[in-house]
Amino acid sequence: MSSPAERYAAARRRAAQASAFPALDEFSLDLGFDLDDFQREACEALERGSGVLVCAPTGAGKTVVGEFAVHLALRGRPGGDAPATRRKCFYTTPIKALSNQKYHDLVDRYGAEQVGLLTGDNAINGDAPVVVMTTEVLRNMLYAGSATLEGLAYVVMDEVHYLADRFRGGVWEEVIIHLPESVTLVSLSATVSNAEEFADWLVTVRGETAVVVSEHRPVPLWQHMLVGKRMFDLFHDADAARKHDVHPELLRYTRDTMRRLELGEGRSAGPGGGRRGPRWRGPMRPDIVDRLDREGLLPAILFIFSRAGCDAAVQQCLAAGLRLTSPDERAEIRRVVESRVTAIPGEDLSVLGYWEWLDGLERGLAAHHAGMLPAFKEVVEELFVRGLVKAVFATETLALGINMPARCVVLERLVKFNGEAHVDLTPGEYTQLTGRAGRRGIDVEGHAVVVWSPETDPRHVAGLASTRTYPLRSSFRPSYNMAVNLVGSVGAAPARELLESSFAQFQADRSVVGLARQVQRNTETIEAYGAEAACHDGDFDEYFALRMAIADRERAIARQGQTQRKAAAVASLERLRVGDVIRVPSGRRAGLAVVLDPATGGFGEPRPLVLTQDRWAGRVTPGDFTTPAEVLTRIRVPKHFNHRSPAARRDLAAAVSGTGLDRHGGRRGGRSRQAAGEDHRLSQLRVELRAHPCHACPDREEHARWAERRRRLERDTEELRERVSGRTGSLARTFDRIVALLTARGYLAADGEVTDAGRMLARIWTEADLLVAECLRRRVWDGLSPAELAAAVSVVVFEARRDVDERASLPRGAVADAVDETLKLWGDIEADEAARGLAVTREPDLGFAWPIYRWARGEALAKVLASGHQIDGEMPAGDFVRWARQVVDLLGQVADSGGASAELRGTARQAIAAVNRGVLAYHASA
């Protein structure tokens, strides 16, 4: 209990804070909880007028700082409360689901009239003083000079660490660079190890920016490993966690388990056995969920890095008879689900596996991954947050931003497929996933459980759990759309300067500083080495150059001789016939051998099958012959000789030895040296070397050693200089190449002005922006029906999750013709890009043409999903909806494009209407 004096002092402090930061005092009164130190520090910086970068763990409450920016905007300018003095705040997020969630949170707090939402799908109250939007929407506004930007005072960039994303990350940098100077930027990021570097860049482009970093988790996280049926703490205590010291009992138990597995395998591989040893079988998924339930660790998210694995886990739990809900909870779950799916046609529900999904939900179990229908995913999120669904099996996409905290997080494996290969989780990914564990205000502590397998080393897990080195790396690179927008808004020269102010160039230049210092140090050392190598008898640099010229010439002659010897050996092996006795000159098989199979007539080097007099049978290669293979004699080889028979090998080897030929023969040597000595240029260099004054210096070899060190350091320094020049201004050079290509293709005029074609390109927002613009200019899509247009457009947006060897089929006629024309245009663009050293535009993917064509023609969802060009069966409904939305998005751009014909714009609008039905209509209105 504090004393009256302490309470009085605390009251005085609070009064001082309230007078210094009145807006923050107002804001915190409505929160219902006390602000953490990092939240107060960031909010105070905002009220002082500074920008702010907040880095804190998942679930720490970073968004409170963003909400304070909203409060400041609605509060109005200091000294005025009239509506006219109110300012705007834009709250940006990386994904639509997060935008929707934030929109509802802010509506609950400030009312629907004060808050708007702008995503690719929705536009609600876009002129409101507070608008939640995806980052791309704000980027497009900035380039278009939208009137909505008027009065903008604050921009909150939630999940700003997303700028490291290699596909979309550049958008964050475009926004940060192009925002008006009057806008205060609030950047909210997960914990990154180079926050200061990122903040230094923000200061250069945005002005004063306070950095607030918090490593503290409001809910402590306990790390565990599940080994078979036993659960162990990963660390003994907090001190051990700081030192990465794994719990000794866990290490001992896993070592014993590994030893038992190895001994079991050794025993089973005995004579005549051939049986495999006992394979490790980890705990079954239903057993894991049941255990978590018994230990009071639900609700839990179980991360399985596979969509099929997530669905299978739910089925396994259902088959095991798991039921985690009460009758009242089941009734509420059914009520929520039925209210959410009323807009989806009944026949589509059965195709989507609705009844199995509902059965899982009613038992408190669900999957969550990108292959699910978005409507189903949203229901799972709502039910989980409300505590009605107790166990969710999810892919790592759940870790991004969506507010779905749990009491416990389980990682089944520490390896995931990143679209190209199976890779280990990084410390940053591990922290992001396990950061979901522990619900603030509900749980006293959170728990993260890693399921052990023989490939999982507890010390590796300890490293992942304790490492704090995951730096933010820029993925920014100029695009065609960006180039025409920049040139159109500021001109070519200022555009180059803007690019050079990007975080990508900032990081490149910082790395250059270190390299440049190394070059400077090397240059000083080279001068010192040069002084040591100096000779009083003459110019030692000149003498050393002669020595180097002789060494280079000798190497060239040796290479030439080696090439000639190999060619001669190949030719001699190709002439061999069955029964020829040859001598293998060197190696383990040196000695006499008889040819069993000449192995001629194939591709590659000849590899004849031989039997040596030591009874070894196998193939020899030209590499085994330092001199051409010479036929010494011939012996008879039985017609159906079996070289795998020991008796047959013994008899034929005896016949080889019986020829009486010497095993090793006469050694021939010295020819190469003699040939080298006959080289005229080499002889001339040697004469010059012996005639040089430095050749007679008694310290000649000491000088040579210093000169050799200097030569090596000069070579290393030259490589460093090339790296420096490659990084300095690298983005500006790429930009110049893009501008040159756009000028050559007529999107920019020779004087740097944007042409009509360029203005059309400036309004196309897609990865294949230039290809779309070329299709519009060449009228590739004119004359198509709405369904045909949807199919033709799909090839430039769709990208299969995995490569498929054979080309997907297309609807015959107009669609096939339009796609062929698109592929030709892509080929021209690719050649142009390759010639200029630019990253090439991705090849069109035909895999979505049939599904979207059939859907736009009104066919049933079951037929549509079955027509996807998938390796593993039909297309998942979630993938279909996502790609269909992207097709609709591009069709919308075509419908609004000034470069498209009136007929094509009308067809695009009809195609949008044809696609937006059934599950797509629900998604459009959600």
Side-chain angles (χ1 to χ4, degrees), residues 668-883:
R668 284 185 282 179
R671 285 179 61 194
S672 61
R673 184 172 293 182
Q674 184 184 356
E678 290 167 1
D679 183 76
H680 175 69
R681 176 62 186 145
L682 189 59
S683 303
Q684 188 182 354
L685 286 169
R686 285 181 173 148
V687 169
E688 289 177 31
L689 184 80
R690 284 191 287 270
H692 198 282
C694 292
H695 193 66
C697 176
D699 297 324
R700 180 187 72 198
E701 292 310 307
E702 182 66 18
H703 295 323
R705 276 192 288 275
W706 285 108
E708 173 61 22
R709 286 175 191 157
R710 184 179 66 174
R711 184 186 72 83
R712 286 181 184 165
L713 194 56
E714 282 173 340
R715 188 182 61 206
D716 293 345
T717 306
E718 191 52 42
E719 285 178 9
L720 284 175
R721 284 199 180 101
E722 285 175 11
R723 283 166 65 188
V724 167
S725 65
R727 292 184 189 184
T728 307
S730 52
L731 284 175
R733 279 199 301 279
T734 302
F735 178 72
D736 290 342
R737 291 171 191 157
I738 286 174
V739 166
L741 186 148
L742 291 173
T743 304
R745 286 181 168 266
Y747 292 92
L748 295 173
D751 60 0
E753 287 295 310
V754 180
T755 64
D756 287 343
R759 278 185 281 278
M760 173 186 69
L761 175 58
R763 301 274 75 80
I764 295 169
W765 314 99
T766 182
E767 197 183 342
D769 45 13
L770 183 59
L771 179 56
V772 172
E774 287 289 298
C775 287
L776 290 173
R777 287 175 79 192
R778 304 281 189 274
R779 307 293 185 213
V780 170
W781 296 329
D782 283 25
L784 298 175
S785 70
E788 289 168 343
L789 178 61
V793 161
S794 75
V795 304
V796 297
V797 295
F798 178 71
E799 185 176 7
R801 290 180 70 223
R802 289 184 175 83
D803 290 336
V804 182
D805 291 337
E806 72 273 8
R807 175 173 154 164
S809 62
L810 291 166
R812 287 189 189 146
V815 175
D817 295 342
V819 170
D820 283 344
E821 195 60 37
T822 304
L823 287 167
K824 281 180 197 159
L825 289 175
W826 170 78
D828 293 344
I829 292 170
E830 185 202 32
D832 213 346
E833 289 167 330
R836 295 175 193 274
L838 289 166
V840 296
T841 298
R842 183 174 57 79
E843 183 178 1
D845 192 322
L846 283 49
F848 195 56
W850 264 117
I852 196 68
Y853 176 72
R854 285 185 159 156
W855 181 255
R857 286 180 60 188
E859 295 188 26
L861 182 63
K863 201 169 180 182
V864 168
L865 297 180
S867 63
H869 188 61
Q870 305 289 113
I871 299 173
D872 46 1
E874 65 180 34
M875 173 172 269
D879 287 346
F880 171 73
V881 169
R882 187 169 74 258
W883 290 116

Side-chain angles (χ1 to χ4, degrees), residues 56-63 67 91-103 105 157-162 168 172 188-190 301 303 368 381 385 395-405 428-429 431-433 435-436:
T58 303
K62 297 184 288 286
T63 52
E67 287 165 9
Y91 198 112
T92 71
T93 70
I95 53 175
K96 292 169 188 171
L98 197 51
S99 292
N100 294 335
Q101 194 173 62
K102 199 74 226 171
Y103 167 72
D105 290 348
M157 300 197 82
D158 204 352
E159 310 277 346
V160 75
H161 54 272
Y162 208 82
R168 295 171 55 215
W172 274 251
L188 309 178
S189 170
I301 301 171
F303 284 108
H368 187 288
E381 290 161 15
V385 169
T395 56
E396 79 278 9
T397 52
L398 182 98
L400 179 71
I402 298 169
N403 185 26
M404 272 183 70
E429 288 167 334
T431 304
Q432 186 92 353
L433 295 168
R436 294 265 161 220

